[in-house]
Amino acid sequence: LRVKHRIFHPSLPAAPFADRATLLLSGSGPTAEARLVPSETLADDLLEYTHAVEGLKDALYQVALEHPGDSEQSQWAISSVLACHLPYSTSESFTVHLDQNGDPFSLDYFVGPVPHNGACPKRGSRKAAAEASPVAFRPIANTTVTLRSPSFPPLPQLRVPPPVTAEGKPVQAPREKSFLEKYWMYIAIAL
């Protein structure tokens, strides 16, 4: 399976997806394992994408899972992150979702660290400018690939049905005795 990537922004012409990596799957079921083999042009592509989005607000870095035998890009599973986070990221995570047969059908992509509010780093600060400079930019070295098999939701906990009589009507609980009916003998002894 091939993993593709590109930069997307409404003001830019639609860019085609480029090869990012090859996803290798081994085993099946709960023992299945996956690893990514990066393409030879990954570092150059990421550097080019970083320069392409400078000054663009809300540009997205898209990662797509190409389905076998399907060259139609609109049918691929796509996950996106804000492109402004790429130069500052130290880790990335791919979650590949498998169907009942163990075949990949979707993926999730995350980069970290990202601020809690998800906002892009402020432009103009010296620290941000120094960290995002082309000389300091490095491809993300810490990549995690996780496979996620389908799981079923927990079954609801049902209450025990009330007992029924032979006619199918619920059994009526006996009437609770009043205070005098319960303790009449103790009251009689006390008097």
Side-chain angles (χ1 to χ4, degrees):
L1 293 172
R2 293 189 306 179
V3 177
K4 306 280 197 161
H5 67 155
R6 73 175 179 184
I7 290 292
F8 175 79
H9 191 273
S11 67
L12 295 175
F17 281 99
D19 286 333
R20 186 190 197 284
T22 302
L23 178 65
L24 301 177
L25 299 174
S26 60
S28 63
T31 61
E33 293 181 3
R35 70 183 181 99
L36 281 176
V37 178
S39 72
E40 294 176 4
T41 62
L42 177 61
D44 295 333
D45 289 346
L46 290 175
L47 185 60
E48 178 185 331
Y49 293 162
T50 302
H51 290 304
V53 298
E54 282 183 36
L56 290 177
K57 185 179 178 186
D58 299 329
L60 298 174
Y61 174 67
Q62 294 185 327
V63 177
L65 178 66
E66 180 182 28
H67 297 294
D70 190 2
S71 61
E72 182 61 38
Q73 293 181 4
S74 63
Q75 301 299 316
W76 296 350
I78 298 174
S79 184
S80 304
V81 296
L82 286 172
C84 61
H85 294 300
L86 286 179
Y88 308 101
S89 298
T90 57
S91 65
E92 65 183 350
S93 173
F94 288 87
T95 302
V96 180
H97 298 274
L98 306 175
D99 62 12
Q100 297 87 346
N101 301 324
D103 298 326
F105 72 92
S106 182
L107 87 155
D108 293 325
Y109 179 70
F110 302 98
V111 295
V114 173
H116 291 294
N117 63 0
C120 291
K122 296 205 185 308
R123 281 185 248 146
S125 72
R126 290 182 188 177
K127 184 179 177 184
E131 289 177 359
S133 69
V135 176
F137 178 77
R138 292 180 302 280
I140 300 168
N142 185 11
T143 301
T144 305
V145 181
T146 308
L147 296 178
R148 175 111 356 121
S149 298
S151 61
F152 296 101
L155 295 175
Q157 294 185 0
L158 302 175
R159 293 184 301 176
V160 177
V164 292
T165 63
E167 293 84 35
K169 295 181 182 177
V171 174
Q172 296 292 329
R175 184 183 70 83
E176 189 174 339
K177 295 179 181 179
S178 69
F179 181 78
L180 286 175
E181 290 174 329
K182 287 183 185 177
Y183 303 108
W184 68 269
M185 63 184 102
Y186 301 113
I187 295 173
I189 294 172
L191 292 176

